[in-house]
Every structure is written in structure tokens, then in C-alpha cells.
Amino acid sequence: MSEAVRETQRKPRREFRNIHVTELMNYRQPFSAIVSIMHRISGFLLFIALPFVLYLLQESIRSELSFAHFQGIASHPFAKLVILALVWGYMHHFCAGVRHLVMDTHIGLDKDSARKSSVAVLVVTWVVVILVALKLFGVF
């Protein structure tokens, strides 16, 4: 076969190039990647907040007066938003961690199952966060 015939039979190769910072908004991440990135962010948030949460727990159980002071702080709207962010961090990290543990047992590794489980993690996390938000802000 001549060289000209071989070149016409080849499929054109895809061109892979680096994504520039200005093109990041046009790039669509799959749900699995979003869950993975958010899992890392939520873990970092929980790690950074752990000393502060332990200090608040210590102060809340020290005495009745310190508990009343803690209740006053926790009733502020900004504090409620911080609590809600911590609830999101915990719930997302927990649900994504369970997903990763299940995937470590070689269940749900195919593309469709991984996408469904990542969507389930997002849905369960946000349903729980919305319920906690409704309770925190007095709707329930």
C-alpha cells in the first residue's frame, strides 16, 4: 500500500491542549469531578474549623452562664451561616466518604454508576443542608 493511501485511511488525531485561565468557565466538569473537588474542600474546611468547634464545645459545657453566652452568639445570623457551612462541610464529606468507601469495594466503578452515585451525593447533601437551614432559621 502506498503512503498516500495510508494517510487517507487514518483518522485525524484529536488535539489536546492546555486550558487557559480565561477558558475555565467554558470547561464542563463531570459530576464525579465536582464531588471529588468538593470533598477536598469540605475536608479542608472541617480540618481548619476543628479547633474552633472544640473550643466552642468546651465553652458551652463549662457552665450555665457560658452556655447562655454561647446561645447568644449562635442566635446571630452570621453565626447561623457559619454553622450552616460547617453542616454542609460535614454532610458532604460524610456522603462522599461513604461513596468512596463503596467504590473501594469495587462497586459502582463503571461510568454510569459513578455518575449516578455522585449525583446522589450532591442531592442528599443539599437536601439535608436545606432541612437544617430551615430549622436553623426558624421555618420549621
Side-chain angles (χ1 to χ4, degrees):
M1 205 181 270
S2 69
E3 191 67 34
V5 173
R6 279 192 213 138
E7 285 185 18
T8 59
Q9 292 176 349
R10 288 185 187 167
K11 294 181 182 178
R13 295 184 68 176
R14 290 180 57 188
E15 180 183 333
F16 295 102
R17 57 188 177 92
N18 293 334
I19 298 174
H20 192 266
V21 174
T22 58
E23 298 172 342
L24 284 178
M25 296 307 292
N26 299 333
Y27 186 73
R28 185 171 176 264
Q29 295 274 351
F31 285 119
S32 298
I34 293 170
V35 168
S36 177
I37 292 167
M38 290 171 66
H39 183 73
R40 293 169 190 246
I41 291 170
S42 64
F44 180 73
L45 173 72
L46 292 174
F47 177 74
I48 294 299
L50 185 63
F52 181 66
V53 170
L54 289 176
Y55 171 73
L56 290 178
L57 177 65
Q58 174 189 347
E59 289 300 314
S60 70
I61 61 176
R62 184 180 301 249
S63 68
E64 289 181 28
L65 185 62
S66 65
F67 181 74
H69 179 69
F70 178 72
Q71 275 184 322
I73 292 172
S75 66
H76 193 272
F78 181 73
K80 288 181 180 182
L81 288 175
V82 170
I83 292 169
L84 200 58
L86 290 173
V87 167
W88 169 82
Y90 176 75
M91 283 309 302
H92 183 79
H93 203 73
F94 178 78
C95 292
V98 169
R99 175 181 178 259
H100 288 302
L101 286 175
V102 169
M103 290 177 83
D104 283 345
T105 62
H106 302 286
I107 298 172
L109 292 179
D110 60 299
K111 192 175 184 179
D112 190 44
S113 297
R115 188 184 62 78
K116 287 179 182 176
S117 66
S118 62
V119 169
V121 165
L122 293 173
V123 168
V124 167
T125 299
W126 283 109
V127 165
V128 171
V129 167
I130 289 171
L131 289 175
V132 169
L134 292 175
K135 181 70 174 170
L136 253 177
F137 289 101
V139 177
F140 267 172

Short mmCIF file of all heavy atoms in Angstrom, two decimals, residues 2-40:
data_model
loop_
_atom_site.label_atom_id
_atom_site.label_comp_id
_atom_site.label_asym_id
_atom_site.label_seq_id
_atom_site.Cartn_x
_atom_site.Cartn_y
_atom_site.Cartn_z
N SER A 2 0.52 2.17 -0.79
CA SER A 2 1.36 3.36 -0.88
C SER A 2 1.11 4.27 0.32
O SER A 2 0.13 4.16 1.03
CB SER A 2 1.07 4.12 -2.18
OG SER A 2 -0.21 4.68 -2.11
N GLU A 3 2.04 5.19 0.50
CA GLU A 3 1.96 6.13 1.63
C GLU A 3 0.74 7.04 1.54
O GLU A 3 0.13 7.39 2.54
CB GLU A 3 3.25 6.97 1.67
CG GLU A 3 3.42 7.77 2.93
CD GLU A 3 3.64 6.90 4.15
OE1 GLU A 3 4.25 5.83 4.07
OE2 GLU A 3 3.16 7.30 5.23
N ALA A 4 0.35 7.44 0.36
CA ALA A 4 -0.81 8.33 0.16
C ALA A 4 -2.10 7.64 0.58
O ALA A 4 -2.99 8.25 1.16
CB ALA A 4 -0.88 8.79 -1.28
N VAL A 5 -2.23 6.36 0.31
CA VAL A 5 -3.44 5.62 0.68
C VAL A 5 -3.51 5.47 2.18
O VAL A 5 -4.58 5.60 2.78
CB VAL A 5 -3.46 4.25 -0.03
CG1 VAL A 5 -4.62 3.40 0.47
CG2 VAL A 5 -3.52 4.42 -1.53
N ARG A 6 -2.40 5.21 2.86
CA ARG A 6 -2.39 5.06 4.32
C ARG A 6 -2.79 6.35 5.01
O ARG A 6 -3.46 6.32 6.02
CB ARG A 6 -1.00 4.64 4.78
CG ARG A 6 -0.76 3.19 4.62
CD ARG A 6 0.49 2.78 5.36
NE ARG A 6 1.09 1.70 4.61
CZ ARG A 6 2.36 1.55 4.36
NH1 ARG A 6 3.22 2.42 4.82
NH2 ARG A 6 2.79 0.53 3.68
N GLU A 7 -2.35 7.47 4.47
CA GLU A 7 -2.69 8.75 5.10
C GLU A 7 -4.17 9.06 4.99
O GLU A 7 -4.74 9.69 5.87
CB GLU A 7 -1.86 9.87 4.48
CG GLU A 7 -0.43 9.86 4.95
CD GLU A 7 0.34 11.04 4.41
OE1 GLU A 7 -0.30 12.03 4.00
OE2 GLU A 7 1.58 10.97 4.43
N THR A 8 -4.84 8.65 3.95
CA THR A 8 -6.27 8.93 3.81
C THR A 8 -7.10 8.02 4.70
O THR A 8 -8.21 8.36 5.05
CB THR A 8 -6.72 8.76 2.35
OG1 THR A 8 -6.44 7.43 1.93
CG2 THR A 8 -6.04 9.78 1.46
N GLN A 9 -6.56 6.86 5.08
CA GLN A 9 -7.32 5.94 5.91
C GLN A 9 -7.20 6.26 7.40
O GLN A 9 -8.01 5.79 8.19
CB GLN A 9 -6.84 4.51 5.66
CG GLN A 9 -7.19 4.00 4.29
CD GLN A 9 -6.63 2.62 4.04
OE1 GLN A 9 -5.81 2.14 4.80
NE2 GLN A 9 -7.07 1.99 2.95
N ARG A 10 -6.24 7.02 7.79
CA ARG A 10 -6.06 7.35 9.21
C ARG A 10 -7.09 8.36 9.66
O ARG A 10 -7.46 9.28 8.93
CB ARG A 10 -4.67 7.93 9.46
CG ARG A 10 -3.58 6.95 9.36
CD ARG A 10 -2.28 7.59 9.75
NE ARG A 10 -1.18 6.68 9.48
CZ ARG A 10 0.07 7.04 9.49
NH1 ARG A 10 0.40 8.30 9.74
NH2 ARG A 10 1.01 6.17 9.26
N LYS A 11 -7.53 8.18 10.88
CA LYS A 11 -8.42 9.17 11.47
C LYS A 11 -7.59 10.35 11.96
O LYS A 11 -6.47 10.16 12.45
CB LYS A 11 -9.17 8.58 12.67
CG LYS A 11 -10.13 7.49 12.30
CD LYS A 11 -10.83 6.98 13.53
CE LYS A 11 -11.76 5.85 13.20
NZ LYS A 11 -12.41 5.32 14.39
N PRO A 12 -8.12 11.53 11.85
CA PRO A 12 -7.35 12.67 12.37
C PRO A 12 -7.26 12.58 13.89
O PRO A 12 -8.24 12.26 14.57
CB PRO A 12 -8.16 13.89 11.93
CG PRO A 12 -9.52 13.38 11.62
CD PRO A 12 -9.37 11.94 11.24
N ARG A 13 -6.08 12.84 14.39
CA ARG A 13 -5.86 12.76 15.84
C ARG A 13 -6.46 13.97 16.52
O ARG A 13 -6.41 15.08 16.01
CB ARG A 13 -4.37 12.69 16.14
CG ARG A 13 -3.74 11.43 15.61
CD ARG A 13 -2.33 11.35 15.99
NE ARG A 13 -2.24 11.17 17.43
CZ ARG A 13 -1.12 10.99 18.08
NH1 ARG A 13 0.01 10.97 17.44
NH2 ARG A 13 -1.12 10.83 19.38
N ARG A 14 -7.03 13.74 17.70
CA ARG A 14 -7.56 14.85 18.48
C ARG A 14 -6.41 15.69 19.01
O ARG A 14 -5.36 15.17 19.38
CB ARG A 14 -8.38 14.32 19.66
CG ARG A 14 -9.67 13.69 19.22
CD ARG A 14 -10.47 13.18 20.37
NE ARG A 14 -10.74 14.25 21.31
CZ ARG A 14 -11.29 14.06 22.52
NH1 ARG A 14 -11.61 12.85 22.89
NH2 ARG A 14 -11.53 15.06 23.32
N GLU A 15 -6.65 16.95 19.06
CA GLU A 15 -5.63 17.86 19.57
C GLU A 15 -5.94 18.17 21.02
O GLU A 15 -7.02 18.66 21.34
CB GLU A 15 -5.63 19.16 18.76
CG GLU A 15 -4.60 20.14 19.24
CD GLU A 15 -4.66 21.44 18.48
OE1 GLU A 15 -5.09 21.43 17.31
OE2 GLU A 15 -4.29 22.46 19.06
N PHE A 16 -5.02 17.83 21.90
CA PHE A 16 -5.16 18.13 23.32
C PHE A 16 -4.28 19.32 23.64
O PHE A 16 -3.09 19.32 23.32
CB PHE A 16 -4.75 16.92 24.18
CG PHE A 16 -5.66 15.74 23.99
CD1 PHE A 16 -5.27 14.68 23.20
CD2 PHE A 16 -6.89 15.71 24.59
CE1 PHE A 16 -6.10 13.59 23.01
CE2 PHE A 16 -7.73 14.63 24.42
CZ PHE A 16 -7.34 13.57 23.63
N ARG A 17 -4.85 20.30 24.25
CA ARG A 17 -4.06 21.47 24.61
C ARG A 17 -4.41 21.89 26.03
O ARG A 17 -5.46 21.53 26.56
CB ARG A 17 -4.30 22.61 23.63
CG ARG A 17 -5.75 23.03 23.52
CD ARG A 17 -5.94 24.03 22.40
NE ARG A 17 -7.34 24.35 22.26
CZ ARG A 17 -7.94 25.36 22.87
NH1 ARG A 17 -7.24 26.16 23.64
NH2 ARG A 17 -9.22 25.58 22.72
N ASN A 18 -3.55 22.64 26.61
CA ASN A 18 -3.78 23.11 27.97
C ASN A 18 -4.90 24.13 27.97
O ASN A 18 -5.07 24.90 27.02
CB ASN A 18 -2.51 23.72 28.54
CG ASN A 18 -1.44 22.69 28.74
OD1 ASN A 18 -1.74 21.52 28.92
ND2 ASN A 18 -0.20 23.12 28.71
N ILE A 19 -5.64 24.15 29.07
CA ILE A 19 -6.73 25.10 29.21
C ILE A 19 -6.17 26.37 29.83
O ILE A 19 -5.50 26.33 30.86
CB ILE A 19 -7.85 24.51 30.09
CG1 ILE A 19 -8.42 23.28 29.42
CG2 ILE A 19 -8.93 25.53 30.33
CD1 ILE A 19 -9.42 22.56 30.28
N HIS A 20 -6.47 27.48 29.22
CA HIS A 20 -6.03 28.77 29.75
C HIS A 20 -7.01 29.20 30.84
O HIS A 20 -8.16 28.77 30.88
CB HIS A 20 -5.98 29.80 28.62
CG HIS A 20 -5.29 31.06 29.01
ND1 HIS A 20 -5.96 32.15 29.49
CD2 HIS A 20 -3.98 31.38 29.03
CE1 HIS A 20 -5.09 33.10 29.77
NE2 HIS A 20 -3.87 32.66 29.49
N VAL A 21 -6.57 30.06 31.72
CA VAL A 21 -7.39 30.52 32.84
C VAL A 21 -8.68 31.16 32.35
O VAL A 21 -9.74 31.01 32.96
CB VAL A 21 -6.59 31.52 33.72
CG1 VAL A 21 -7.45 32.12 34.80
CG2 VAL A 21 -5.38 30.82 34.30
N THR A 22 -8.63 31.86 31.23
CA THR A 22 -9.84 32.52 30.71
C THR A 22 -10.84 31.53 30.16
O THR A 22 -12.01 31.86 29.98
CB THR A 22 -9.45 33.52 29.61
OG1 THR A 22 -8.76 32.82 28.57
CG2 THR A 22 -8.58 34.63 30.17
N GLU A 23 -10.42 30.28 29.89
CA GLU A 23 -11.33 29.27 29.35
C GLU A 23 -11.94 28.36 30.41
O GLU A 23 -12.69 27.44 30.09
CB GLU A 23 -10.58 28.40 28.33
CG GLU A 23 -10.06 29.17 27.15
CD GLU A 23 -9.17 28.32 26.28
OE1 GLU A 23 -8.68 27.28 26.77
OE2 GLU A 23 -8.95 28.69 25.12
N LEU A 24 -11.61 28.59 31.68
CA LEU A 24 -12.09 27.70 32.74
C LEU A 24 -13.61 27.70 32.87
O LEU A 24 -14.20 26.68 33.21
CB LEU A 24 -11.45 28.08 34.07
CG LEU A 24 -9.99 27.67 34.24
CD1 LEU A 24 -9.47 28.15 35.58
CD2 LEU A 24 -9.84 26.18 34.11
N MET A 25 -14.23 28.83 32.62
CA MET A 25 -15.69 28.88 32.77
C MET A 25 -16.39 28.11 31.65
O MET A 25 -17.54 27.73 31.80
CB MET A 25 -16.17 30.34 32.79
CG MET A 25 -15.66 31.12 33.99
SD MET A 25 -15.99 30.32 35.58
CE MET A 25 -17.74 30.47 35.66
N ASN A 26 -15.73 27.88 30.54
CA ASN A 26 -16.32 27.14 29.43
C ASN A 26 -16.13 25.64 29.56
O ASN A 26 -16.75 24.87 28.83
CB ASN A 26 -15.71 27.60 28.10
CG ASN A 26 -15.95 29.06 27.84
OD1 ASN A 26 -16.93 29.62 28.31
ND2 ASN A 26 -15.06 29.68 27.08
N TYR A 27 -15.27 25.20 30.46
CA TYR A 27 -14.97 23.79 30.63
C TYR A 27 -15.99 23.18 31.59
O TYR A 27 -16.18 23.65 32.69
CB TYR A 27 -13.55 23.62 31.18
CG TYR A 27 -13.11 22.19 31.25
CD1 TYR A 27 -12.80 21.48 30.11
CD2 TYR A 27 -13.02 21.54 32.48
CE1 TYR A 27 -12.40 20.16 30.17
CE2 TYR A 27 -12.62 20.22 32.55
CZ TYR A 27 -12.31 19.55 31.39
OH TYR A 27 -11.93 18.24 31.46
N ARG A 28 -16.65 22.12 31.17
CA ARG A 28 -17.69 21.48 31.98
C ARG A 28 -17.12 20.27 32.69
O ARG A 28 -16.72 19.29 32.04
CB ARG A 28 -18.85 21.07 31.09
CG ARG A 28 -20.02 20.52 31.87
CD ARG A 28 -21.21 20.34 30.96
NE ARG A 28 -22.28 19.72 31.70
CZ ARG A 28 -22.51 18.41 31.70
NH1 ARG A 28 -21.76 17.61 31.00
NH2 ARG A 28 -23.50 17.91 32.40
N GLN A 29 -17.09 20.32 34.00
CA GLN A 29 -16.59 19.21 34.80
C GLN A 29 -17.69 18.15 34.94
O GLN A 29 -18.86 18.47 35.09
CB GLN A 29 -16.23 19.69 36.21
CG GLN A 29 -15.10 20.65 36.26
CD GLN A 29 -13.77 19.94 36.33
OE1 GLN A 29 -13.72 18.73 36.50
NE2 GLN A 29 -12.72 20.68 36.18
N PRO A 30 -17.33 16.87 34.93
CA PRO A 30 -18.33 15.83 35.23
C PRO A 30 -18.69 15.87 36.72
O PRO A 30 -17.95 16.40 37.54
CB PRO A 30 -17.63 14.53 34.85
CG PRO A 30 -16.19 14.85 34.80
CD PRO A 30 -16.05 16.31 34.53
N PHE A 31 -19.84 15.30 37.04
CA PHE A 31 -20.30 15.33 38.44
C PHE A 31 -19.31 14.65 39.38
O PHE A 31 -19.14 15.07 40.51
CB PHE A 31 -21.68 14.67 38.57
CG PHE A 31 -22.79 15.53 38.06
CD1 PHE A 31 -23.58 15.10 37.01
CD2 PHE A 31 -23.06 16.76 38.62
CE1 PHE A 31 -24.61 15.88 36.53
CE2 PHE A 31 -24.08 17.55 38.15
CZ PHE A 31 -24.86 17.11 37.10
N SER A 32 -18.66 13.61 38.92
CA SER A 32 -17.68 12.91 39.77
C SER A 32 -16.53 13.84 40.14
O SER A 32 -16.04 13.81 41.27
CB SER A 32 -17.15 11.67 39.06
OG SER A 32 -18.18 10.77 38.82
N ALA A 33 -16.09 14.66 39.20
CA ALA A 33 -15.01 15.60 39.47
C ALA A 33 -15.47 16.68 40.44
O ALA A 33 -14.72 17.08 41.34
CB ALA A 33 -14.52 16.23 38.18
N ILE A 34 -16.70 17.15 40.28
CA ILE A 34 -17.24 18.16 41.19
C ILE A 34 -17.31 17.61 42.61
O ILE A 34 -16.92 18.28 43.57
CB ILE A 34 -18.62 18.64 40.70
CG1 ILE A 34 -18.47 19.39 39.37
CG2 ILE A 34 -19.30 19.51 41.74
CD1 ILE A 34 -19.78 19.68 38.68
N VAL A 35 -17.81 16.38 42.75
CA VAL A 35 -17.89 15.76 44.08
C VAL A 35 -16.51 15.57 44.67
O VAL A 35 -16.29 15.82 45.86
CB VAL A 35 -18.67 14.42 44.00
CG1 VAL A 35 -18.52 13.63 45.28
CG2 VAL A 35 -20.13 14.69 43.71
N SER A 36 -15.55 15.18 43.86
CA SER A 36 -14.19 14.98 44.36
C SER A 36 -13.56 16.29 44.83
O SER A 36 -12.95 16.35 45.90
CB SER A 36 -13.33 14.35 43.27
OG SER A 36 -12.00 14.21 43.70
N ILE A 37 -13.72 17.35 44.05
CA ILE A 37 -13.17 18.65 44.44
C ILE A 37 -13.85 19.16 45.70
O ILE A 37 -13.20 19.66 46.63
CB ILE A 37 -13.31 19.65 43.27
CG1 ILE A 37 -12.41 19.24 42.11
CG2 ILE A 37 -13.00 21.07 43.72
CD1 ILE A 37 -12.69 19.96 40.82
N MET A 38 -15.18 19.02 45.77
CA MET A 38 -15.91 19.49 46.95
C MET A 38 -15.56 18.64 48.17
O MET A 38 -15.61 19.13 49.30
CB MET A 38 -17.41 19.50 46.66
CG MET A 38 -17.80 20.60 45.68
SD MET A 38 -19.49 20.51 45.10
CE MET A 38 -20.40 20.83 46.57
N HIS A 39 -15.24 17.37 47.96
CA HIS A 39 -14.82 16.50 49.07
C HIS A 39 -13.53 17.03 49.69
O HIS A 39 -13.38 17.08 50.91
CB HIS A 39 -14.64 15.07 48.58
CG HIS A 39 -14.30 14.08 49.62
ND1 HIS A 39 -15.21 13.63 50.56
CD2 HIS A 39 -13.14 13.45 49.91
CE1 HIS A 39 -14.63 12.76 51.35
NE2 HIS A 39 -13.36 12.64 50.99
N ARG A 40 -12.61 17.44 48.84
CA ARG A 40 -11.35 18.01 49.34
C ARG A 40 -11.58 19.34 50.05
O ARG A 40 -11.00 19.60 51.10
CB ARG A 40 -10.37 18.20 48.19
CG ARG A 40 -9.91 16.89 47.61
CD ARG A 40 -9.15 17.12 46.32
NE ARG A 40 -8.92 15.87 45.63
CZ ARG A 40 -7.73 15.35 45.45
NH1 ARG A 40 -6.66 15.96 45.90
NH2 ARG A 40 -7.59 14.22 44.82
#
